[in-house]
């Protein structure tokens, strides 16, 4: 029971993000993911091109 009481206390003490902060963070994650995808697409294309020149 002590554990559950501590969990409830911690949940009450937690500061949750509001809608604006959640939207901002979600947008940041999506943009970062798209940038990483673009980077890896370019790197993959360069490696494939370099390997095709060797063969």
């Amino acid at each position: 029971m002590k554990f559950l009481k501590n969990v409830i206390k911690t949940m009450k003490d937690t500061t949750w993000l509001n809608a604006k902060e959640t939207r901002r963070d979600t947008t940041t994650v999506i943009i970062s993911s798209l940038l990483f995808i673009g980077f890896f697409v370019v790197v993959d294309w360069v490696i494939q091109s370099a390997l095709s020149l060797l063969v």
Side-chain angles (χ1 to χ4, degrees):
M1 289 308 285
K2 184 178 179 182
F3 172 75
L4 291 177
K5 287 179 183 179
N6 285 335
V7 170
I8 292 169
K9 181 182 180 303
T10 302
M11 293 296 285
K12 287 180 181 179
D13 291 342
T14 302
T15 303
W16 299 99
L17 298 176
N18 59 32
K20 183 179 179 183
E21 293 169 329
T22 302
R23 201 172 331 152
R24 182 199 64 212
D25 291 349
T26 302
T27 302
T28 301
V29 168
I30 291 171
I31 290 172
S32 298
S33 298
L34 292 174
L35 290 173
F36 276 110
I37 289 169
F39 171 76
F40 285 116
V41 165
V42 170
V43 169
D44 183 53
W45 179 77
V46 168
I47 291 172
Q48 284 183 355
S49 297
L51 288 176
S52 69
L53 290 174
L54 294 174
V55 176

